[in-house]
Amino acid sequence: MWLRDEILKSIWHAFTALDVDQRGKVSKSQLKVLSHSLCTVMKIPHDPVALEEHFKDDDKGPLSNQGYMPYLNRFILDKVQEEFDVLEFNKMCWTLCYKKNISTKHLLISDDDAFKVWCIFNFLSEDKYPLVMITEEIECFLRKLMEAMGSGWSEEKFCDYKLQLHSKNNRLSAWELIELLGLGHFTKGMTRQTLSMGIGEVFQELILDVLKQGYMMKKGHKRKNWTERWFVLRPNSLSYYVCEDLVEKKGDIILDPTCCVESLPDKEGKKCMFIIKCTDKSFEISASDKKKKQEWLQAIQTCLQLLRLGLPSPHREARLRRRELRQRQQTEEGDLAERMKHLQAANENKQRQLEGMRKKMEEAAATAAEEEHTQLDLQDRYKLELKRERMVRQQMEEQVAQKSSELEQYLLRVRELENMYRRLEEALEDEKQAKQDEEAMHKLQASLLGEEAAKRAELERFHRQQQRALSQTESEKQELVAEQRLKERELQAAMLQLEKLERERLGALEQYQEVSTKLERAANKTKTWKDKVAKHEGLVRLIQPGHKGPQRITNWGPASFTDVELELRKKSWQERKNQGAPAQ
């Protein structure tokens, strides 16, 4: 939802930037470009003929802001039929005006942060042109910025700055406000990142209407699974994103006066649950702890209450109250000044009357003296007249005394009014001090809540790490148990094979011993039979002619066969032995 007064402020900046000579007038060609850009951003068709028809009497020279405003309202703003991106609209106006007014190279803030400060200025500035931001709104903005950066508020430093601001009629322009933050007058010791985060947080609250944001678990409608989402609460919607960079939006929960939010008991392993009931569907959400759940419930109920009452967002309501309070104070101060003027005028009239009466008395006394000196014969009559004059004088003195008493009563009333005015100022000072104390307590509570939230987040992170470590250790333990069981099974199988091999080895050893025994027996038998055969062959050998070669001589005398025959017999016996060994 866009407001015409805030849109006109951004357009005023763009129009003023096109006014190079600062005469309050812009050429028609520049206005054509500005109008076409406005129509493009606001999603309405551009009609260049309407611009020519509207300014057909001003073809000779540049056009003024007063002349362009009726065209802007009639042919552009009145034709807007759908919602448009207000942030993109502000960026377009910012692009037209910021380079001609300020450079951020020597400042501590970037162009994006300067744009956010410019938008905040348009929100908090007065609805009068040229746009300015008064001291009270500057203090409100700086307090919010210091609170967002987690820094304490220095009342002494701001009082010193108010003395400097007095030379500028207690007000700043948008570019002076950007330069004030960029030069670090109130942010000494803060890094660029801290300042940028503080400006971004205030920008989200005041411009983007972000009332609360944070991570929560949401139950799906189709698969009924729980997913962590980044929720952003605005006055009329609760949006949820994949993460806090707000790039991928997953959906919106549209809030209206018929919606309601209720707490739910713990179920399905989820705690700190609540439900948002809308007209078409309901949304089940789980917060991280009871404190977060209560904060979200209170924030959503506040939004629904504002929707039912038809009130704007809290910061817009606070801005409206500050303006009404300032107008009321200005009215009361004007009435008091007017009464003081009337009392002063009445006092001056009384003084003039008393002076006139004194002059008349002096003139009467002088006339009586002259008549006494010049007309001695009429002394008696003059005495009588003198008596009458004395009586008149006495009456006049009584009147003067009466007037003096009235004057004293008037002065007493004036002093009472002054005392009342002083007490009023003291009451205002006490109220201001009470507000400051209350804001200090709020900041202290916010800092304590922030520290508690940070500690809780750190504990949750440690808990998650321990859970991951335990789950990883459990999985490794299960793998080791499975591997140990597998190795035990393999060891049992190996033991069985070893026992089988041992039995086979024992059986083979027994067979070997049996074979060795048989072989030994066979060898003994063979030796016995060899001896018998040799002896038999030696006895039954025929007597043949002797060999011409040398005869073999043994221990028992000449042998029965020659060396050649012995070699042949050895070969044949060896062959039989070799053949018999495989057979066994």
XYZ file of all heavy atoms in Angstrom, residues 340-401:
515
model
N -0.634 36.440 26.707
C 0.378 37.333 27.276
C 0.370 38.687 26.566
O 0.518 39.751 27.190
C 1.754 36.683 27.171
C 1.947 35.472 28.074
S 1.874 35.882 29.822
C 3.350 36.867 29.990
N 0.157 38.662 25.237
C 0.093 39.926 24.494
C -1.109 40.759 24.944
O -1.001 41.980 25.130
C 0.003 39.640 22.993
C 1.303 39.143 22.387
C 1.139 38.909 20.896
C 2.437 38.402 20.271
N 2.274 38.148 18.819
N -2.266 40.075 25.108
C -3.457 40.802 25.558
C -3.248 41.391 26.954
O -3.615 42.564 27.216
C -4.672 39.868 25.564
C -5.173 39.528 24.186
N -5.440 40.486 23.227
C -5.455 38.332 23.598
C -5.866 39.911 22.123
N -5.875 38.586 22.318
N -2.674 40.624 27.864
C -2.416 41.126 29.213
C -1.428 42.282 29.205
O -1.591 43.276 29.932
C -1.884 39.989 30.088
C -2.884 38.881 30.440
C -2.181 37.762 31.184
C -4.027 39.439 31.268
N -0.423 42.182 28.347
C 0.554 43.265 28.257
C -0.092 44.532 27.698
O 0.180 45.655 28.174
C 1.732 42.820 27.383
C 2.888 43.816 27.357
C 4.058 43.281 26.570
O 3.990 42.197 26.008
N 5.126 44.049 26.535
N -0.958 44.354 26.690
C -1.645 45.519 26.130
C -2.564 46.159 27.172
O -2.627 47.399 27.293
C -2.447 45.096 24.893
N -3.291 45.319 27.955
C -4.158 45.864 28.998
C -3.337 46.601 30.056
O -3.734 47.684 30.544
C -4.962 44.741 29.641
N -2.189 46.074 30.396
C -1.313 46.731 31.367
C -0.836 48.071 30.853
O -0.793 49.081 31.582
C -0.130 45.807 31.669
C 0.715 46.324 32.824
O 0.270 47.184 33.589
N 1.922 45.804 32.946
N -0.483 48.123 29.583
C -0.029 49.390 29.001
C -1.158 50.416 28.992
O -0.930 51.624 29.254
C 0.489 49.143 27.587
C 1.809 48.352 27.555
C 2.246 48.057 26.140
O 1.468 48.363 25.198
O 3.349 47.487 25.967
N -2.391 49.932 28.713
C -3.528 50.872 28.744
C -3.745 51.426 30.151
O -3.990 52.638 30.332
C -4.802 50.164 28.269
C -4.754 49.859 26.779
O -4.112 50.600 26.022
N -5.435 48.805 26.353
N -3.665 50.578 31.161
C -3.793 51.042 32.539
C -2.704 52.049 32.894
O -2.964 53.070 33.547
C -3.731 49.843 33.496
C -4.887 48.865 33.357
C -6.185 49.470 33.843
C -7.317 48.455 33.800
N -8.602 49.031 34.239
N -1.501 51.783 32.441
C -0.401 52.718 32.728
C -0.652 54.074 32.066
O -0.400 55.140 32.651
C 0.926 52.120 32.229
C 1.401 50.902 33.016
C 1.880 51.290 34.406
O 2.173 52.466 34.686
N 1.912 50.300 35.293
N -1.154 54.026 30.812
C -1.440 55.294 30.121
C -2.558 56.067 30.835
O -2.507 57.294 30.963
C -1.826 55.007 28.662
C -0.620 54.656 27.774
C -0.992 54.740 26.310
N -2.011 53.733 25.963
C -1.725 52.512 25.542
N -0.446 52.144 25.447
N -2.676 51.678 25.222
N -3.603 55.329 31.300
C -4.682 56.005 32.038
C -4.174 56.643 33.324
O -4.516 57.797 33.649
C -5.794 55.000 32.351
C -6.576 54.530 31.137
C -7.607 53.485 31.485
O -7.765 53.147 32.665
N -8.325 52.994 30.469
N -3.350 55.934 34.066
C -2.784 56.489 35.296
C -1.905 57.704 35.007
O -1.929 58.716 35.740
C -1.968 55.414 36.036
C -2.775 54.264 36.642
C -1.842 53.193 37.199
C -3.681 54.793 37.745
N -1.138 57.619 33.930
C -0.292 58.770 33.570
C -1.147 59.972 33.197
O -0.841 61.142 33.552
C 0.627 58.361 32.405
C 1.654 59.410 32.019
C 2.693 59.619 33.098
O 2.884 58.701 33.943
O 3.329 60.698 33.111
N -2.252 59.714 32.477
C -3.150 60.827 32.122
C -3.775 61.458 33.349
O -3.902 62.685 33.449
N -4.193 60.635 34.309
C -4.772 61.157 35.541
C -3.739 61.957 36.335
O -4.041 63.022 36.904
C -5.306 60.000 36.397
C -6.509 59.289 35.766
S -7.015 57.824 36.678
C -7.583 58.607 38.178
N -2.494 61.478 36.351
C -1.465 62.235 37.077
C -1.211 63.594 36.427
O -1.062 64.627 37.093
C -0.184 61.409 37.112
C 0.933 62.025 37.962
C 2.169 61.168 37.899
N 2.698 61.079 36.540
C 3.442 62.041 35.984
N 3.706 63.162 36.636
N 3.886 61.883 34.765
N -1.208 63.618 35.095
C -0.998 64.882 34.396
C -2.154 65.861 34.661
O -1.949 67.064 34.829
C -0.848 64.627 32.893
C 0.472 63.968 32.531
C 0.574 63.753 31.031
C 1.915 63.132 30.645
N 2.019 62.913 29.191
N -3.375 65.282 34.664
C -4.524 66.153 34.958
C -4.429 66.747 36.366
O -4.734 67.926 36.587
C -5.825 65.360 34.824
C -6.193 65.033 33.391
C -7.495 64.254 33.332
C -7.891 63.935 31.896
N -9.148 63.184 31.827
N -4.009 65.954 37.340
C -3.851 66.447 38.709
C -2.774 67.526 38.765
O -2.935 68.557 39.445
C -3.474 65.288 39.651
C -4.624 64.320 39.886
S -4.128 62.903 40.862
C -3.685 63.735 42.384
N -1.714 67.340 38.054
C -0.657 68.361 38.045
C -1.163 69.644 37.386
O -0.874 70.771 37.852
C 0.559 67.829 37.306
C 1.294 66.727 38.064
C 2.467 66.194 37.279
O 2.627 66.603 36.103
O 3.220 65.339 37.822
N -1.894 69.482 36.308
C -2.436 70.685 35.645
C -3.425 71.412 36.556
O -3.441 72.654 36.627
C -3.110 70.268 34.331
C -2.137 69.793 33.272
C -2.859 69.299 32.031
O -4.118 69.277 32.063
O -2.181 68.918 31.052
N -4.260 70.622 37.270
C -5.230 71.261 38.186
C -4.510 72.000 39.314
O -4.901 73.111 39.712
C -6.166 70.202 38.738
N -3.452 71.401 39.859
C -2.690 72.065 40.930
C -2.026 73.336 40.418
O -1.997 74.387 41.111
C -1.658 71.094 41.478
N -1.515 73.294 39.205
C -0.868 74.496 38.643
C -1.890 75.603 38.407
O -1.622 76.809 38.660
C -0.172 74.112 37.329
N -3.060 75.203 37.906
C -4.114 76.210 37.667
C -4.565 76.853 38.977
O -4.775 78.083 39.070
C -5.310 75.542 36.974
O -4.866 74.931 35.766
C -6.380 76.542 36.665
N -4.697 76.020 40.029
C -5.106 76.558 41.337
C -4.062 77.531 41.887
O -4.398 78.577 42.461
C -5.330 75.412 42.309
N -2.792 77.210 41.700
C -1.729 78.112 42.194
C -1.743 79.429 41.455
O -1.571 80.510 42.051
C -0.383 77.407 42.035
N -1.934 79.340 40.146
C -1.972 80.585 39.374
C -3.159 81.472 39.775
O -3.029 82.687 39.926
C -2.037 80.259 37.877
C -0.737 79.693 37.330
C -0.852 79.338 35.865
O -1.949 79.569 35.302
O 0.124 78.839 35.279
N -4.291 80.790 39.927
C -5.470 81.576 40.322
C -5.308 82.168 41.734
O -5.788 83.271 42.023
C -6.729 80.705 40.261
C -7.134 80.350 38.857
C -8.356 79.467 38.822
O -8.805 79.037 39.917
O -8.862 79.168 37.719
N -4.629 81.441 42.630
C -4.404 81.973 43.983
C -3.512 83.210 43.959
O -3.704 84.146 44.742
C -3.782 80.872 44.844
C -3.614 81.258 46.299
C -3.034 80.142 47.116
O -2.752 79.030 46.538
O -2.850 80.320 48.326
N -2.531 83.216 43.054
C -1.606 84.354 42.966
C -2.225 85.530 42.192
O -1.917 86.696 42.470
C -0.292 83.919 42.306
C 0.535 83.022 43.193
N 1.131 83.463 44.355
C 0.844 81.683 43.100
C 1.780 82.468 44.922
N 1.600 81.353 44.177
N -3.034 85.256 41.249
C -3.543 86.336 40.389
C -4.860 86.937 40.868
O -5.208 88.062 40.577
C -3.722 85.796 38.960
O -4.569 84.650 38.979
C -2.364 85.434 38.374
N -5.680 86.180 41.528
C -7.012 86.657 41.928
C -7.163 86.503 43.442
O -7.684 85.508 43.918
C -8.090 85.870 41.183
C -8.032 86.023 39.679
C -9.125 85.240 38.981
O -9.991 84.673 39.652
N -9.108 85.257 37.674
N -6.638 87.484 44.179
C -6.740 87.450 45.633
C -8.165 87.718 46.100
O -8.571 87.242 47.154
C -5.797 88.504 46.245
C -4.306 88.255 45.988
C -3.490 89.426 46.542
C -3.846 86.971 46.622
N -8.903 88.511 45.330
C -10.263 88.844 45.746
C -11.183 87.653 45.679
O -12.219 87.592 46.334
C -10.810 89.985 44.874
C -10.735 89.655 43.412
O -10.013 88.656 43.041
O -11.366 90.303 42.587
N -10.825 86.749 44.881
C -11.679 85.548 44.781
C -11.099 84.397 45.602
O -11.308 83.225 45.265
C -11.810 85.124 43.311
C -12.425 86.160 42.369
C -12.400 85.634 40.942
C -13.850 86.473 42.799
N -10.397 84.748 46.656
C -9.706 83.731 47.440
C -10.662 82.749 48.103
O -10.409 81.541 48.135
C -8.846 84.426 48.508
C -7.965 83.450 49.272
C -7.052 84.170 50.257
O -7.143 85.416 50.405
N -6.206 83.431 50.934
N -11.772 83.385 48.640
C -12.700 82.481 49.322
C -13.295 81.452 48.357
O -13.410 80.255 48.665
C -13.817 83.302 49.984
C -13.280 84.207 51.080
O -12.211 83.827 51.655
O -13.890 85.229 51.347
N -13.688 82.027 47.173
C -14.275 81.097 46.197
C -13.244 80.044 45.749
O -13.574 78.884 45.567
C -14.797 81.886 45.001
C -15.641 81.011 44.065
C -16.210 81.823 42.953
N -15.118 82.400 42.141
C -15.344 83.147 41.068
N -16.591 83.447 40.716
N -14.354 83.641 40.383
N -12.053 80.559 45.671
C -11.011 79.617 45.246
C -10.742 78.569 46.326
O -10.421 77.414 46.033
C -9.715 80.370 44.932
C -9.704 80.922 43.539
C -10.337 82.103 43.257
C -9.088 80.270 42.490
C -10.347 82.628 41.979
C -9.096 80.792 41.212
C -9.719 81.963 40.963
O -9.724 82.474 39.701
N -10.912 79.053 47.628
C -10.740 78.078 48.693
C -11.793 76.988 48.604
O -11.504 75.797 48.783
C -10.811 78.763 50.050
C -9.578 79.583 50.383
C -9.713 80.228 51.750
C -8.466 81.051 52.115
N -8.570 81.696 53.440
N -13.054 77.509 48.335
C -14.104 76.509 48.181
C -13.791 75.560 46.993
O -13.962 74.342 47.083
C -15.453 77.201 47.983
C -15.979 78.021 49.174
C -17.260 78.761 48.771
C -16.239 77.110 50.363
N -13.369 76.228 45.903
C -13.023 75.394 44.737
C -11.838 74.459 45.054
O -11.789 73.312 44.595
C -12.684 76.273 43.559
C -13.873 76.997 42.987
C -13.494 77.896 41.826
O -12.284 77.981 41.518
O -14.399 78.457 41.216
N -10.923 75.029 45.902
C -9.773 74.205 46.272
C -10.213 73.014 47.103
O -9.690 71.889 46.935
C -8.763 75.051 47.050
C -7.466 74.343 47.463
C -6.728 73.811 46.227
C -6.568 75.288 48.247
N -11.182 73.277 47.993
C -11.705 72.170 48.770
C -12.325 71.118 47.853
O -12.140 69.912 48.032
C -12.721 72.667 49.778
C -12.117 73.445 50.947
C -13.202 73.916 51.897
C -12.615 74.706 53.063
N -13.656 75.178 54.019
N -13.107 71.683 46.869
C -13.723 70.726 45.938
C -12.640 69.961 45.149
O -12.760 68.768 44.906
C -14.664 71.470 44.990
C -15.966 71.922 45.654
C -16.999 72.276 44.604
N -16.556 73.383 43.777
C -16.840 74.651 44.038
N -17.553 74.969 45.127
N -16.432 75.606 43.241
N -11.629 70.733 44.793
C -10.547 70.080 44.044
C -9.842 69.034 44.913
O -9.445 67.958 44.435
C -9.545 71.107 43.557
C -10.069 71.959 42.413
C -9.061 73.022 41.991
O -7.983 73.093 42.632
O -9.355 73.739 41.029
N -9.706 69.407 46.240
C -9.092 68.427 47.131
C -9.963 67.193 47.256
O -9.458 66.052 47.281
C -8.886 69.057 48.502
C -7.738 70.061 48.532
C -7.630 70.696 49.907
N -6.520 71.650 49.931
C -6.229 72.435 50.990
N -6.995 72.346 52.090
N -5.223 73.270 50.940
N -11.267 67.486 47.322
C -12.155 66.341 47.363
C -12.028 65.507 46.079
O -11.994 64.268 46.104
C -13.595 66.801 47.566
C -13.860 67.421 48.958
S -15.522 68.108 49.090
C -16.466 66.635 48.882
N -12.010 66.272 44.950
C -11.841 65.558 43.664
C -10.527 64.794 43.650
O -10.428 63.650 43.193
C -11.924 66.531 42.491
C -11.521 65.831 41.186
C -13.329 67.107 42.390
N -9.489 65.493 44.176
C -8.170 64.841 44.202
C -8.207 63.598 45.081
O -7.617 62.560 44.746
C -7.141 65.820 44.726
C -5.733 65.262 44.761
C -4.773 66.331 45.194
N -3.413 65.800 45.212
C -2.340 66.512 45.560
N -2.484 67.820 45.901
N -1.145 65.975 45.565
N -8.915 63.739 46.233
C -9.027 62.591 47.118
C -9.748 61.444 46.411
O -9.351 60.281 46.501
C -9.757 62.995 48.389
C -9.812 61.889 49.448
C -10.492 62.366 50.720
O -10.955 63.533 50.776
N -10.549 61.508 51.714
N -10.831 61.866 45.700
C -11.547 60.841 44.954
C -10.646 60.204 43.884
O -10.647 58.989 43.687
C -12.799 61.433 44.309
C -13.876 61.847 45.307
C -15.058 62.512 44.616
O -15.039 62.703 43.398
N -16.077 62.872 45.415
N -9.875 61.075 43.225
C -8.973 60.561 42.189
C -7.893 59.675 42.817
O -7.514 58.645 42.241
C -8.331 61.722 41.437
C -9.329 62.528 40.583
S -8.560 63.899 39.724
C -7.515 63.021 38.602
N -7.409 60.070 44.006
C -6.416 59.241 44.687
C -7.022 57.891 45.066
O -6.345 56.852 44.964
C -5.899 59.959 45.933
C -4.965 61.114 45.599
C -4.521 61.849 46.852
O -5.046 61.550 47.934
O -3.620 62.702 46.726
N -8.303 57.978 45.510
C -8.961 56.722 45.816
C -9.088 55.850 44.557
O -8.888 54.639 44.602
C -10.343 56.993 46.408
C -10.291 57.619 47.803
C -11.664 57.959 48.326
O -12.628 57.812 47.551
O -11.761 58.378 49.493
N -9.451 56.576 43.452
C -9.518 55.840 42.189
C -8.145 55.270 41.802
O -8.026 54.135 41.335
C -10.044 56.744 41.080
C -11.506 57.127 41.233
C -11.978 58.030 40.106
O -11.189 58.381 39.216
N -13.259 58.417 40.145
N -7.108 56.125 42.030
C -5.748 55.646 41.720
C -5.389 54.456 42.602
O -4.785 53.471 42.143
C -4.736 56.800 41.897
C -3.310 56.246 41.851
C -4.937 57.837 40.813
N -5.764 54.562 43.913
C -5.486 53.438 44.800
C -6.229 52.187 44.336
O -5.695 51.064 44.357
C -5.883 53.808 46.227
